[in-house]
Amino acid sequence: MKKLIIWDFDGVIADTEHLATDKYVELAKKHNISLTRDDVITHIIGKGQHKQLETLISLGKKVNADIVKQINDEISATVNKNITLTDNIEDVFRLKEFNQCVATGNSLDGIKARFDPLNLDRYFNKSNVFSASFVAQGKPEPDLFLYAADKMNYAPKDCIVIEDSIYGIMAGIKANMTIIAYLEHILYDKKEYIRKINDLGKVHICHNMVEVKDLLFNII
């Protein structure tokens, strides 16, 4: 049986994190929410909107779900104007040895806005794209990845998650799936980030899509 690749989107399929981080700080300020770039990198990036809201409240920020949605919607609009696919990723999309899907913290509207300029409907459609809005809890909980696996008719042990964020990696580990940490576009100090990833458990690490493609065939 073919393995299932479960792709994260932001920071993996496309380098959106750098644009999104700076825009988050700017938009939060408009809502009288004081955040530094490091705050966003450390506490926000990689989380779905519900988890972002929980985190901002825990940091003592006066915020509600509508504000978080507004910020994310405006970020999507900015990112989508400048979005490009990660180099060599289509070589992986075209592999016939794997089934593939996307599981992302974005809303359905956010997913469509990112997919359209990249023509990703060549590879993904409603049957294999899953939003955190489909489940009770987003990353770092495993709900989204487990939901995607179930809808694709796969057991967790036969799934390979490709993620860049600590929260996404944690979600994949909790789901008992094979994890590839994708580090080409990360915002963090790479050595320290690798240490944090290794502390989580068994995780494969790749720095570009050529490495991902090679690793996938070693995994199967």
Coordinates of all heavy atoms in Angstrom, one line a residue, residues 69-151:
K69 N -9.4 36.7 13.4 CA -9.8 36.4 12.0 C -9.4 37.6 11.1 O -8.9 37.3 10.0 CB -11.3 36.1 12.0 CG -11.7 35.7 10.6 CD -13.2 35.4 10.5 CE -13.6 34.9 9.1 NZ -13.3 35.8 8.0
Q70 N -9.7 38.8 11.5 CA -9.3 40.0 10.7 C -7.8 40.0 10.4 O -7.4 40.2 9.2 CB -9.8 41.3 11.4 CG -11.3 41.5 11.4 CD -11.6 42.8 12.2 OE1 -10.9 43.8 12.1 NE2 -12.7 42.7 13.0
I71 N -7.0 39.8 11.4 CA -5.6 39.8 11.2 C -5.2 38.7 10.2 O -4.4 39.0 9.3 CB -4.9 39.6 12.6 CG1 -5.0 40.8 13.4 CG2 -3.4 39.3 12.3 CD1 -4.5 40.7 14.9
N72 N -5.7 37.5 10.4 CA -5.3 36.4 9.5 C -5.8 36.6 8.1 O -5.1 36.3 7.1 CB -5.8 35.1 10.1 CG -4.9 34.5 11.2 OD1 -4.0 33.8 10.9 ND2 -5.2 34.9 12.4
D73 N -7.0 37.2 7.9 CA -7.5 37.5 6.6 C -6.6 38.5 5.9 O -6.4 38.3 4.7 CB -9.0 38.0 6.7 CG -10.0 36.9 7.0 OD1 -9.6 35.7 7.0 OD2 -11.1 37.2 7.3
E74 N -6.2 39.5 6.6 CA -5.4 40.6 6.0 C -4.0 40.0 5.6 O -3.4 40.4 4.6 CB -5.3 41.8 6.9 CG -6.6 42.6 7.0 CD -6.4 43.9 7.6 OE1 -5.6 44.7 7.2 OE2 -7.2 44.2 8.6
I75 N -3.5 39.2 6.5 CA -2.2 38.5 6.3 C -2.3 37.7 5.0 O -1.4 37.7 4.1 CB -1.8 37.7 7.5 CG1 -1.3 38.6 8.6 CG2 -0.6 36.7 7.0 CD1 -1.0 37.8 9.9
S76 N -3.4 36.9 4.9 CA -3.5 36.1 3.7 C -3.5 36.9 2.4 O -2.9 36.6 1.4 CB -4.8 35.3 3.8 OG -4.8 34.3 4.7
A77 N -4.2 38.1 2.4 CA -4.3 38.9 1.3 C -2.9 39.4 0.9 O -2.5 39.5 -0.3 CB -5.2 40.1 1.5
T78 N -2.1 39.8 1.9 CA -0.7 40.2 1.6 C 0.2 39.1 1.1 O 0.9 39.3 0.1 CB -0.1 40.8 2.9 OG1 -0.9 41.9 3.4 CG2 1.3 41.2 2.7
V79 N 0.1 38.0 1.8 CA 0.9 36.8 1.4 C 0.6 36.4 0.0 O 1.5 36.1 -0.8 CB 0.8 35.7 2.4 CG1 1.4 34.4 1.9 CG2 1.4 36.1 3.7
N80 N -0.7 36.3 -0.3 CA -1.1 35.7 -1.6 C -0.6 36.5 -2.8 O -0.5 36.0 -3.9 CB -2.6 35.6 -1.6 CG -3.1 34.6 -0.6 OD1 -2.3 33.8 -0.1 ND2 -4.3 34.8 -0.2
K81 N -0.3 37.8 -2.6 CA 0.2 38.7 -3.7 C 1.6 38.3 -4.1 O 2.1 38.7 -5.1 CB 0.1 40.1 -3.3 CG -1.4 40.7 -3.2 CD -1.4 42.1 -2.7 CE -2.8 42.6 -2.6 NZ -2.8 44.0 -2.0
N82 N 2.3 37.7 -3.1 CA 3.8 37.5 -3.3 C 4.2 36.0 -3.2 O 5.4 35.7 -3.1 CB 4.5 38.3 -2.2 CG 4.2 39.8 -2.2 OD1 4.8 40.5 -3.0 ND2 3.4 40.2 -1.3
I83 N 3.2 35.2 -3.3 CA 3.5 33.8 -3.0 C 4.1 33.0 -4.1 O 3.8 33.3 -5.3 CB 2.1 33.1 -2.6 CG1 2.4 31.8 -1.8 CG2 1.2 32.9 -3.7 CD1 1.2 31.2 -1.1
T84 N 5.1 32.1 -3.8 CA 5.7 31.3 -4.9 C 5.9 29.9 -4.2 O 6.0 29.7 -3.0 CB 7.0 31.8 -5.3 OG1 7.9 31.9 -4.2 CG2 6.9 33.1 -6.0
L85 N 5.9 28.9 -5.1 CA 6.1 27.5 -4.6 C 7.5 27.3 -4.2 O 8.5 27.9 -4.8 CB 5.8 26.5 -5.7 CG 4.3 26.2 -6.0 CD1 4.2 25.3 -7.2 CD2 3.6 25.5 -4.8
T86 N 7.7 26.5 -3.2 CA 9.1 26.1 -2.8 C 9.8 25.4 -3.9 O 9.2 24.6 -4.7 CB 9.0 25.1 -1.6 OG1 8.5 25.9 -0.5 CG2 10.3 24.5 -1.2
D87 N 11.0 25.7 -4.1 CA 11.8 25.1 -5.2 C 11.8 23.6 -5.2 O 11.9 22.9 -4.1 CB 13.3 25.5 -5.1 CG 13.5 27.0 -5.5 OD1 12.6 27.6 -6.1 OD2 14.6 27.5 -5.2
N88 N 11.5 23.0 -6.4 CA 11.6 21.5 -6.6 C 10.4 20.7 -5.9 O 10.4 19.5 -6.0 CB 12.9 20.9 -6.1 CG 14.1 21.5 -6.8 OD1 14.1 21.6 -8.0 ND2 15.0 22.1 -6.1
I89 N 9.4 21.4 -5.4 CA 8.4 20.7 -4.7 C 7.5 20.0 -5.6 O 6.9 18.9 -5.3 CB 7.5 21.7 -3.8 CG1 6.7 20.8 -2.8 CG2 6.7 22.6 -4.6 CD1 6.1 21.7 -1.7
E90 N 7.3 20.5 -6.9 CA 6.5 19.8 -7.8 C 7.0 18.4 -8.2 O 6.3 17.5 -8.6 CB 6.2 20.7 -9.0 CG 5.3 21.9 -8.7 CD 4.9 22.6 -9.9 OE1 5.7 23.5 -10.3 OE2 3.9 22.3 -10.5
D91 N 8.3 18.2 -8.1 CA 8.9 16.9 -8.3 C 8.4 15.9 -7.3 O 8.3 14.7 -7.6 CB 10.4 17.0 -8.3 CG 11.1 17.8 -9.4 OD1 10.4 17.9 -10.4 OD2 12.2 18.2 -9.2
V92 N 8.1 16.4 -6.1 CA 7.5 15.5 -5.1 C 6.0 15.3 -5.3 O 5.5 14.2 -5.2 CB 7.8 16.1 -3.7 CG1 7.3 15.1 -2.6 CG2 9.3 16.4 -3.5
F93 N 5.3 16.4 -5.7 CA 3.9 16.3 -5.9 C 3.6 15.3 -7.0 O 2.6 14.6 -7.0 CB 3.3 17.7 -6.4 CG 3.2 18.7 -5.3 CD1 3.1 20.1 -5.7 CD2 3.2 18.4 -4.0 CE1 3.0 21.0 -4.7 CE2 3.1 19.4 -3.0 CZ 3.0 20.7 -3.4
R94 N 4.5 15.1 -8.0 CA 4.3 14.3 -9.1 C 4.6 12.8 -8.9 O 4.4 11.9 -9.7 CB 5.1 14.7 -10.3 CG 4.8 16.1 -10.9 CD 5.5 16.4 -12.1 NE 5.3 17.8 -12.6 CZ 6.2 18.8 -12.4 NH1 7.4 18.5 -11.9 NH2 6.0 20.0 -12.8
L95 N 5.1 12.5 -7.7 CA 5.5 11.1 -7.4 C 4.3 10.2 -7.4 O 3.3 10.5 -6.6 CB 6.2 11.0 -6.0 CG 7.6 11.7 -5.9 CD1 8.1 11.6 -4.5 CD2 8.6 11.1 -6.9
K96 N 4.3 9.2 -8.1 CA 3.2 8.2 -8.2 C 3.2 7.2 -7.1 O 2.3 6.4 -6.9 CB 3.2 7.5 -9.5 CG 3.1 8.5 -10.7 CD 1.8 9.3 -10.7 CE 1.7 10.2 -11.9 NZ 0.5 11.1 -11.9
E97 N 4.4 7.1 -6.4 CA 4.5 6.1 -5.3 C 3.8 6.4 -4.0 O 3.8 5.6 -3.1 CB 6.0 5.9 -5.1 CG 6.8 5.3 -6.2 CD 7.3 6.3 -7.2 OE1 6.9 7.5 -7.1 OE2 8.0 5.9 -8.2
F98 N 3.3 7.7 -3.9 CA 2.6 8.1 -2.7 C 1.3 8.7 -3.0 O 1.1 9.3 -4.1 CB 3.5 9.2 -2.0 CG 4.9 8.8 -1.6 CD1 5.9 8.9 -2.5 CD2 5.1 8.3 -0.4 CE1 7.2 8.4 -2.2 CE2 6.4 7.8 0.0 CZ 7.4 7.9 -0.9
N99 N 0.3 8.6 -2.1 CA -0.8 9.5 -2.1 C -0.5 10.7 -1.3 O 0.3 10.7 -0.4 CB -2.0 8.7 -1.5 CG -2.6 7.7 -2.5 OD1 -2.6 8.0 -3.7 ND2 -3.1 6.6 -2.0
Q100 N -1.2 11.8 -1.6 CA -0.8 13.1 -0.9 C -2.0 13.9 -0.6 O -3.1 13.9 -1.3 CB 0.1 13.9 -1.8 CG 1.4 13.1 -2.3 CD 2.4 13.9 -3.0 OE1 2.7 15.1 -2.6 NE2 3.1 13.4 -4.0
C101 N -1.9 14.7 0.5 CA -3.0 15.6 0.9 C -2.4 16.8 1.6 O -1.2 16.8 1.9 CB -4.1 14.9 1.7 SG -3.5 14.5 3.4
V102 N -3.2 17.8 1.9 CA -2.7 19.0 2.6 C -3.6 19.1 3.8 O -4.8 19.0 3.8 CB -2.8 20.3 1.7 CG1 -2.5 21.5 2.5 CG2 -1.9 20.2 0.5
A103 N -2.9 19.4 5.0 CA -3.6 19.7 6.2 C -3.0 20.9 6.9 O -1.9 20.9 7.3 CB -3.5 18.5 7.2
T104 N -3.8 22.0 6.9 CA -3.3 23.3 7.3 C -4.2 24.0 8.2 O -5.4 23.8 8.3 CB -3.1 24.2 6.0 OG1 -2.8 25.5 6.4 CG2 -4.3 24.2 5.2
G105 N -3.6 24.9 9.0 CA -4.3 25.7 10.0 C -5.1 26.8 9.3 O -6.0 27.4 10.0
N106 N -5.0 27.0 8.0 CA -5.7 28.1 7.3 C -7.2 27.7 7.2 O -7.6 26.5 7.2 CB -5.2 28.2 5.9 CG -3.9 29.0 5.9 OD1 -3.8 30.1 6.5 ND2 -2.9 28.5 5.2
S107 N -8.1 28.7 7.1 CA -9.5 28.6 6.9 C -9.6 28.1 5.4 O -8.7 28.2 4.6 CB -10.2 29.9 7.1 OG -9.8 30.8 6.1
L108 N -10.8 27.7 5.1 CA -11.1 27.3 3.7 C -10.9 28.4 2.7 O -10.3 28.3 1.6 CB -12.5 26.7 3.5 CG -12.8 25.3 4.1 CD1 -14.2 25.0 4.0 CD2 -11.9 24.3 3.4
D109 N -11.3 29.6 3.1 CA -11.1 30.8 2.3 C -9.6 31.1 2.1 O -9.1 31.5 1.0 CB -11.8 32.0 2.9 CG -13.3 32.0 2.7 OD1 -13.8 31.2 1.9 OD2 -14.0 32.7 3.4
G110 N -8.9 31.0 3.2 CA -7.4 31.2 3.2 C -6.7 30.2 2.3 O -5.8 30.5 1.6
I111 N -7.2 28.9 2.4 CA -6.6 27.9 1.5 C -6.8 28.2 0.1 O -5.9 28.2 -0.7 CB -7.2 26.5 1.9 CG1 -6.8 26.1 3.3 CG2 -6.8 25.5 0.8 CD1 -7.5 24.9 3.8
K112 N -8.0 28.6 -0.3 CA -8.3 28.9 -1.7 C -7.5 30.1 -2.2 O -7.0 30.0 -3.3 CB -9.8 29.2 -1.9 CG -10.2 29.5 -3.3 CD -11.7 29.7 -3.4 CE -12.1 30.3 -4.8 NZ -11.5 29.5 -5.9
A113 N -7.4 31.1 -1.3 CA -6.6 32.3 -1.7 C -5.1 32.0 -2.0 O -4.5 32.6 -2.8 CB -6.8 33.3 -0.7
R114 N -4.6 31.0 -1.2 CA -3.2 30.6 -1.4 C -3.1 29.7 -2.6 O -2.1 29.7 -3.4 CB -2.7 30.0 -0.2 CG -2.2 30.9 0.9 CD -2.0 30.2 2.2 NE -1.3 31.0 3.2 CZ -1.6 32.1 3.8 NH1 -2.8 32.6 3.5 NH2 -0.9 32.7 4.7
F115 N -4.0 28.8 -2.8 CA -3.9 27.7 -3.8 C -4.1 28.3 -5.2 O -3.4 27.9 -6.2 CB -5.0 26.7 -3.6 CG -4.5 25.6 -2.7 CD1 -3.8 25.9 -1.5 CD2 -4.8 24.3 -2.9 CE1 -3.4 24.9 -0.6 CE2 -4.4 23.3 -2.0 CZ -3.7 23.6 -0.9
D116 N -5.0 29.3 -5.4 CA -5.4 29.8 -6.7 C -4.2 30.4 -7.5 O -3.9 30.0 -8.6 CB -6.5 30.8 -6.6 CG -7.8 30.1 -6.4 OD1 -7.9 28.9 -6.4 OD2 -8.8 30.9 -6.2
P117 N -3.4 31.3 -6.9 CA -2.2 31.8 -7.7 C -1.1 30.8 -8.0 O -0.3 31.1 -8.9 CB -1.7 33.0 -6.8 CG -2.2 32.6 -5.4 CD -3.5 31.9 -5.6
L118 N -1.1 29.7 -7.3 CA -0.1 28.7 -7.5 C -0.6 27.5 -8.4 O 0.1 26.6 -8.6 CB 0.3 28.1 -6.1 CG 1.0 29.1 -5.2 CD1 1.3 28.5 -3.8 CD2 2.3 29.7 -5.7
N119 N -1.9 27.6 -8.8 CA -2.5 26.6 -9.6 C -2.4 25.2 -9.0 O -2.1 24.2 -9.6 CB -1.8 26.5 -11.0 CG -2.1 27.8 -11.8 OD1 -3.2 28.3 -11.8 ND2 -1.1 28.4 -12.4
L120 N -2.6 25.1 -7.7 CA -2.4 23.9 -7.0 C -3.6 22.9 -7.2 O -3.5 21.7 -6.7 CB -2.2 24.1 -5.5 CG -0.8 24.6 -5.1 CD1 -0.7 25.0 -3.6 CD2 0.3 23.6 -5.4
D121 N -4.6 23.3 -7.9 CA -5.7 22.4 -8.2 C -5.2 21.3 -9.2 O -5.9 20.4 -9.4 CB -6.9 23.1 -8.7 CG -6.6 24.0 -9.9 OD1 -5.4 24.1 -10.4 OD2 -7.6 24.6 -10.5
R122 N -4.0 21.5 -9.7 CA -3.4 20.4 -10.5 C -3.1 19.2 -9.7 O -3.1 18.1 -10.2 CB -2.1 20.9 -11.1 CG -2.2 22.0 -12.2 CD -0.9 22.5 -12.6 NE -0.3 23.3 -11.5 CZ 0.9 23.8 -11.5 NH1 1.8 23.5 -12.5 NH2 1.4 24.5 -10.5
Y123 N -2.9 19.4 -8.4 CA -2.5 18.3 -7.5 C -3.5 18.1 -6.3 O -3.6 16.9 -5.8 CB -1.2 18.7 -6.8 CG -0.1 19.0 -7.9 CD1 0.4 20.3 -8.0 CD2 0.4 18.0 -8.7 CE1 1.3 20.6 -8.9 CE2 1.4 18.3 -9.6 CZ 1.9 19.6 -9.7 OH 2.8 19.9 -10.7
F124 N -4.3 19.1 -5.9 CA -5.1 19.0 -4.7 C -6.5 19.6 -5.0 O -6.6 20.5 -5.8 CB -4.5 19.7 -3.6 CG -3.1 19.3 -3.2 CD1 -2.0 20.0 -3.6 CD2 -2.9 18.1 -2.5 CE1 -0.7 19.6 -3.3 CE2 -1.6 17.6 -2.2 CZ -0.5 18.4 -2.6
N125 N -7.5 19.0 -4.4 CA -8.9 19.4 -4.5 C -9.6 19.2 -3.2 O -9.0 18.9 -2.2 CB -9.6 18.7 -5.7 CG -9.5 17.2 -5.6 OD1 -9.8 16.6 -4.5 ND2 -9.0 16.5 -6.6
K126 N -10.9 19.4 -3.2 CA -11.7 19.2 -2.0 C -11.6 17.9 -1.3 O -11.8 17.8 -0.1 CB -13.2 19.5 -2.3 CG -13.5 21.0 -2.7 CD -15.0 21.2 -2.9 CE -15.3 22.6 -3.3 NZ -16.7 22.8 -3.5
S127 N -11.2 16.9 -2.1 CA -11.1 15.5 -1.5 C -9.8 15.3 -0.7 O -9.8 14.4 0.0 CB -11.3 14.5 -2.6 OG -10.1 14.5 -3.5
N128 N -8.8 16.2 -1.0 CA -7.6 15.9 -0.3 C -6.9 17.2 0.3 O -5.7 17.3 0.4 CB -6.6 15.2 -1.2 CG -6.2 15.9 -2.4 OD1 -6.8 17.0 -2.7 ND2 -5.3 15.4 -3.2
V129 N -7.8 18.2 0.7 CA -7.3 19.4 1.3 C -8.2 19.5 2.6 O -9.4 19.6 2.5 CB -7.5 20.6 0.4 CG1 -7.1 21.9 1.2 CG2 -6.6 20.5 -0.8
F130 N -7.5 19.7 3.8 CA -8.2 19.7 5.0 C -7.8 20.9 5.9 O -6.6 21.2 6.0 CB -7.9 18.4 5.8 CG -8.2 17.2 5.0 CD1 -7.1 16.5 4.4 CD2 -9.5 16.8 4.8 CE1 -7.4 15.4 3.6 CE2 -9.8 15.7 4.0 CZ -8.7 15.0 3.4
S131 N -8.8 21.6 6.4 CA -8.5 22.8 7.2 C -8.7 22.5 8.7 O -9.5 21.7 9.1 CB -9.6 23.9 6.8 OG -9.7 24.9 7.7
A132 N -8.0 23.3 9.5 CA -8.2 23.1 11.0 C -9.6 23.5 11.4 O -10.0 23.1 12.5 CB -7.1 24.0 11.7
S133 N -10.3 24.2 10.6 CA -11.7 24.5 10.9 C -12.6 23.3 10.9 O -13.7 23.3 11.4 CB -12.3 25.6 9.9 OG -12.3 25.1 8.6
F134 N -12.1 22.2 10.4 CA -12.8 20.9 10.3 C -12.8 20.2 11.7 O -13.6 19.2 11.8 CB -12.3 20.0 9.3 CG -12.4 20.4 7.9 CD1 -11.8 19.7 6.8 CD2 -13.0 21.6 7.5 CE1 -11.9 20.1 5.5 CE2 -13.1 22.1 6.2 CZ -12.6 21.3 5.2
V135 N -11.9 20.6 12.6 CA -11.7 19.8 13.8 C -11.9 20.7 15.0 O -11.8 21.9 14.9 CB -10.4 19.1 13.8 CG1 -10.3 18.1 12.7 CG2 -9.2 20.1 13.7
A136 N -12.0 20.0 16.2 CA -12.2 20.7 17.4 C -11.0 21.5 17.9 O -11.0 22.7 18.4 CB -12.6 19.8 18.6
Q137 N -9.8 20.9 17.7 CA -8.5 21.5 18.1 C -7.5 21.5 17.0 O -7.3 20.5 16.4 CB -8.0 20.8 19.4 CG -8.9 20.9 20.6 CD -8.2 20.4 21.8 OE1 -7.5 21.1 22.5 NE2 -8.4 19.1 22.1
G138 N -6.9 22.7 16.8 CA -5.8 22.7 15.8 C -4.5 22.3 16.4 O -4.4 21.9 17.6
K139 N -3.4 22.4 15.6 CA -2.1 22.1 16.1 C -1.7 23.0 17.3 O -2.1 24.2 17.3 CB -1.1 22.4 14.9 CG -1.4 21.7 13.6 CD -0.5 22.2 12.5 CE -1.0 21.7 11.1 NZ -0.3 22.2 10.0
P140 N -1.1 22.5 18.3 CA -0.3 21.3 18.3 C -1.0 20.0 18.7 O -0.4 18.9 18.9 CB 0.7 21.6 19.5 CG 0.0 22.4 20.4 CD -0.9 23.3 19.5
E141 N -2.3 20.0 18.8 CA -3.1 18.8 19.0 C -3.1 18.0 17.7 O -3.0 18.6 16.6 CB -4.5 19.1 19.5 CG -4.5 19.8 20.8 CD -3.6 19.2 21.9 OE1 -3.7 17.9 22.0 OE2 -2.9 19.9 22.5
P142 N -3.3 16.7 17.7 CA -3.2 15.8 16.5 C -4.5 15.8 15.7 O -4.5 15.1 14.6 CB -2.9 14.5 17.1 CG -3.6 14.4 18.4 CD -3.4 15.9 19.0
D143 N -5.5 16.4 16.1 CA -6.9 16.3 15.5 C -6.9 16.4 14.0 O -7.5 15.6 13.3 CB -7.9 17.3 16.1 CG -8.0 17.2 17.6 OD1 -7.0 16.9 18.3 OD2 -9.1 17.5 18.1
L144 N -6.2 17.4 13.5 CA -6.3 17.7 12.0 C -5.6 16.6 11.2 O -6.1 16.1 10.2 CB -5.6 19.1 11.7 CG -5.5 19.4 10.2 CD1 -6.9 19.4 9.6 CD2 -4.9 20.8 10.1
F145 N -4.4 16.2 11.7 CA -3.7 15.1 11.0 C -4.5 13.8 11.0 O -4.6 13.0 10.0 CB -2.3 14.9 11.5 CG -1.4 16.1 11.2 CD1 -0.4 16.5 12.1 CD2 -1.5 16.8 10.0 CE1 0.4 17.5 11.9 CE2 -0.6 17.8 9.8 CZ 0.3 18.2 10.7
L146 N -5.1 13.5 12.2 CA -5.9 12.3 12.3 C -7.1 12.3 11.4 O -7.5 11.3 10.8 CB -6.3 12.0 13.8 CG -5.1 11.7 14.7 CD1 -5.5 11.7 16.2 CD2 -4.5 10.4 14.3
Y147 N -7.7 13.5 11.4 CA -8.9 13.7 10.5 C -8.5 13.5 9.0 O -9.2 12.8 8.3 CB -9.4 15.1 10.7 CG -10.6 15.5 9.9 CD1 -11.9 15.2 10.3 CD2 -10.5 16.0 8.6 CE1 -13.0 15.6 9.6 CE2 -11.6 16.4 7.8 CZ -12.9 16.1 8.3 OH -14.0 16.4 7.6
A148 N -7.4 14.1 8.6 CA -7.0 13.9 7.2 C -6.7 12.5 6.9 O -7.1 11.9 5.8 CB -5.7 14.8 7.0
A149 N -6.0 11.8 7.8 CA -5.7 10.4 7.6 C -7.0 9.5 7.5 O -7.1 8.7 6.6 CB -4.8 9.8 8.7
D150 N -7.9 9.8 8.3 CA -9.2 9.1 8.3 C -9.9 9.3 7.0 O -10.4 8.3 6.4 CB -10.1 9.5 9.5 CG -11.4 8.8 9.5 OD1 -11.4 7.5 9.7 OD2 -12.4 9.4 9.4
K151 N -10.0 10.6 6.5 CA -10.7 10.9 5.3 C -10.0 10.3 4.1 O -10.6 10.0 3.1 CB -10.8 12.4 5.1 CG -11.8 13.0 6.1 CD -13.2 12.5 6.0 CE -14.1 13.1 7.0 NZ -15.5 12.5 6.9

